Amino acid sequence: MGKGKLKKWRENAQLPNVHEPELQHAIDGQEYMKGQWQSEVFGNENPITLELGCGKGEYTVELAKRYPERNFIGVDIKGHRFWKGAKESTQMGLPNVAFLRTRIEFIVTFFAKDEVAEIWLTFSDPQPKDEKGTKRLTSPKFMDRYRKFLVPGGIVNVKTDSDLLFEYTVEALGAAGIEFDMLSRDVYGELVNRVDDEMKDILNIRTYYEQIWMEKGEKINFLKFRL
């Protein structure tokens, strides 16, 4: 195990905006902060946005900077990745940012009914070997989980470089009768030219890996829908 990871894990343990409950507790169905994020973590009743599979937490931090009247939680199992976002947001004194280290399949043990207003799925693993698609974060199985804590009509945003994940999601949601607020196979070549300035600014938030993919000429896909 690299010393860099160990150092970041130690720092995470000291950061006030990082939550690292025991994974076994989630596996056993033990709840953590469920229904208490607004009151106990943020100290307000502002709406919550989750970035699931947040990586370095770029969207969590950048959205929090733009929307101080909302709360943002980045969720990922790899704490050494979101260490960057957690440390930066602490140094910037952003009170509306938190990070949760857990596996997404146990997400319902952390959030209560109607506790979350919006979800971002930013460059989720397309799980190419998962032929049934049940491990993909946009699968019907995961959508059922999200419904348990999203407000009625809660927004889900999917930004991905993976054509596999994009086409799978379009097909799965279409089969479920879910309509799209936005759909684009080329965010920067097409979508940014037909949305308002606020949405354009949000779409132009680019993750570390997204920038690399774009430099290679890869196009970015985007979906927005409501559950």
Side-chain angles (χ1 to χ4, degrees):
M1 185 178 296
K3 293 182 179 179
K5 287 184 181 181
L6 292 173
K7 180 176 181 294
K8 291 173 181 177
W9 289 342
R10 287 195 295 268
E11 289 192 21
N12 276 350
Q14 302 303 315
L15 292 173
N17 60 1
V18 173
H19 297 260
E20 299 183 289
E22 290 289 337
L23 181 59
Q24 188 59 50
H25 292 173
I27 294 172
D28 294 339
Q30 184 173 325
E31 297 176 356
Y32 175 88
M33 295 302 300
K34 190 169 184 175
Q36 302 178 58
W37 290 92
Q38 289 170 314
S39 60
E40 300 300 320
V41 175
F42 298 112
N44 58 54
E45 296 183 358
N46 295 339
I48 293 174
T49 293
L50 302 183
E51 183 187 7
L52 300 181
C54 68
K56 295 178 183 292
E58 290 101 333
Y59 257 83
T60 297
V61 175
E62 289 300 321
L63 287 172
K65 288 162 61 176
R66 288 163 170 78
Y67 298 98
E69 73 282 5
R70 300 178 66 91
N71 301 317
F72 297 87
I73 305 173
V75 184
D76 206 296
I77 188 58
K78 296 184 178 179
H80 62 278
R81 287 187 179 173
F82 68 59
W83 162 85
K84 183 176 186 293
K87 188 170 184 178
E88 285 182 354
S89 56
T90 298
Q91 292 173 338
M92 288 186 285
L94 293 175
N96 59 333
V97 174
F99 286 89
L100 170 64
R101 182 173 181 264
T102 193
R103 281 165 36 187
I104 309 302
E105 56 261 45
F106 304 120
I107 196 68
V108 295
T109 65
F110 300 96
F111 297 97
K113 184 178 184 294
D114 298 341
E115 191 170 12
V116 175
E118 184 176 25
I119 292 173
W120 277 85
L121 301 175
T122 49
F123 302 96
S124 307
D125 186 343
Q127 302 285 350
K129 295 182 180 179
D130 180 20
E131 295 182 1
K132 294 183 178 180
T134 56
K135 296 180 180 179
R136 295 170 186 157
L137 297 188
T138 57
S139 70
K141 188 174 183 178
F142 275 94
M143 292 298 152
D144 287 342
R145 291 180 173 124
Y146 305 153
R147 286 187 180 93
K148 292 180 180 179
F149 54 77
L150 269 176
V151 298
I155 297 170
V156 180
N157 306 280
V158 180
K159 196 177 185 186
T160 178
D161 64 308
S162 169
D163 291 337
L164 169 64
L165 181 64
F166 182 78
E167 298 300 341
Y168 166 83
T169 305
V170 170
E171 182 177 343
L173 295 178
I178 296 174
E179 298 182 356
F180 304 105
D181 288 2
M182 292 185 191
L183 184 155
S184 177
R185 292 173 173 80
D186 188 2
V187 168
Y188 302 109
E190 180 267 328
L191 183 57
V192 294
N193 295 316
R194 62 177 171 89
V195 295
D196 60 29
D197 289 342
E198 181 180 6
M199 191 63 193
K200 183 181 297 185
D201 180 51
I202 292 173
L203 290 171
N204 273 308
I205 298 172
R206 301 182 186 182
T207 71
Y208 171 79
Y209 292 106
E210 179 181 5
Q211 192 61 45
I212 293 175
W213 294 322
M214 290 184 63
E215 289 172 358
K216 294 180 179 179
E218 296 186 23
K219 293 181 179 180
I220 307 301
N221 307 295
F222 182 75
L223 289 172
K224 180 179 179 180
F225 55 93
R226 299 172 187 271
L227 292 179

